[in-house]
């Protein structure tokens, strides 16, 4: 709201729809209707999807002003700032399209000696600034075009093949933003013709 992070609370209604529920891919859509922030009102939807075997959940957010509201707000994404956690960020000088922000530390609710890494992966060009508000590590994002496209994730040290250290988490995240910044390209060949991209 220009002063602090305001969570999605004051809405006229919320709707959730399961879009896909398969063994390899699952997705749901959440609509927040007439979200009021100060005197401004917005409609917002979030399509969350996940592929089997991945820690990443893809979140595609669309927001539009309603009624007399004209301005688009900056949107905040991030993770809770627990005690005994460390902020980890991707190289700010990288030329990769994607970047990340994460926390690492003893923040598991199961037992106090378990480590957990949580965070977000986002388009580097969309982040306005990195900050915190005492409760959360916050990436302020440019939502002027009405779209924010990002991933969120969690990595637990006790999961099968779990990430055990901060160094391992950073290596994993560096790999993920490499993959996202250079996505798979498919080339089709037709018999007796030059290949087509």
């Amino acid at each position: 709201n220009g002063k602090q992070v305001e969570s999605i609370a004051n809405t006229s209604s919320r709707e959730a729809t399961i879009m896909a529920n398969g063994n390899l891919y699952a997705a749901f859509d959440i609509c927040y209707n007439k979200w009021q922030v100060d005197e401004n009102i917005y409609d917002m939807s979030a399509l969350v999807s996940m592929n089997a075997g991945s820690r990443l959940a893809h979140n595609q957010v669309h927001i539009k002003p309603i009624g007399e509201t004209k301005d688009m707000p900056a949107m905040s994404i991030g993770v809770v700032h627990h005690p005994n956690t460390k902020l980890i960020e991707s190289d700010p000088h990288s030329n990769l399209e994607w970047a990340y922000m994460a926390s690492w530390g003893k923040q598991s609710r199961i037992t106090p000696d378990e480590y957990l890494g949580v965070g977000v992966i986002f388009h580097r060009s969309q982040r306005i600034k990195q900050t915190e508000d005492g409760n959360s590590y916050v990436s302020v994002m440019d939502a002027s075009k009405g779209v924010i496209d990002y991933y969120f994730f969690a990595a637990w040290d006790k999961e099968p093949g779990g990430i055990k250290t901060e160094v391992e988490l950073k290596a994993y995240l560096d790999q993920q933003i490499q993959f996202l910044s250079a996505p798979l390209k498919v080339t089709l060949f037709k018999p007796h013709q030059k290949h087509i991209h």
Side-chain angles (χ1 to χ4, degrees), residues 72 139 189:
M72 290 297 290
S139 286
F189 293 93

Side-chain angles (χ1 to χ4, degrees), residues 7-194:
S7 61
I8 303 169
N10 187 8
T11 64
S12 66
S13 64
R14 301 177 190 209
E15 303 167 20
T17 305
I18 296 173
M19 308 300 286
N21 189 20
N23 293 331
L24 298 178
Y25 176 80
F28 62 91
D29 189 64
I30 302 177
C31 294
Y32 303 94
N33 301 310
K34 296 184 179 176
W35 173 27
Q36 186 164 348
V37 181
D38 292 334
E39 301 302 316
N40 300 313
I41 300 174
Y42 306 93
D43 277 349
M44 191 171 87
S45 66
L47 177 63
V48 181
S49 60
M50 195 166 191
N51 292 305
S54 175
R55 292 183 177 97
L56 306 185
H58 192 187
N59 198 1
Q60 296 168 288
V61 176
H62 291 82
I63 182 168
K64 65 179 181 178
I66 300 296
E68 295 182 11
T69 300
K70 303 295 181 210
D71 294 335
M72 290 297 290
M75 298 291 292
S76 298
I77 60 175
V79 295
V80 65
H81 182 174
H82 286 125
N84 305 314
T85 59
K86 181 178 180 181
L87 176 66
I88 301 171
E89 294 188 81
S90 52
D91 178 359
H93 305 295
S94 171
N95 292 324
L96 293 176
E97 177 185 357
W98 292 84
Y100 61 80
M101 178 272 294
S103 70
W104 173 259
K106 294 182 179 181
Q107 54 187 330
S108 170
R109 292 181 177 225
I110 299 171
T111 65
D113 289 329
E114 294 177 350
Y115 284 84
L116 188 65
V118 292
V120 289
I121 298 174
F122 49 86
H123 290 279
R124 182 181 304 276
S125 62
Q126 203 167 18
R127 182 163 76 171
I128 298 169
K129 67 178 179 177
Q130 177 66 32
T131 187
E132 54 184 279
D133 64 3
N135 298 315
S136 303
Y137 297 112
V138 179
S139 286
V140 180
M141 309 299 286
D142 177 4
S144 59
K145 294 181 181 175
V147 179
I148 301 176
D149 180 30
Y150 70 98
Y151 294 82
F152 58 90
F153 67 88
W156 180 43
D157 69 340
K158 299 295 188 282
E159 68 184 88
I163 291 171
K164 307 290 187 189
T165 67
E166 176 190 334
V167 171
E168 288 180 16
L169 177 64
K170 185 158 179 51
Y172 168 78
L173 292 173
D174 285 338
Q175 181 187 59
Q176 295 306 304
I177 62 171
Q178 284 277 355
F179 289 159
L180 290 171
S181 298
L184 179 67
K185 293 182 181 177
V186 177
T187 302
L188 301 176
F189 293 93
K190 291 188 177 183
H192 312 294
Q193 291 184 359
K194 292 182 178 180

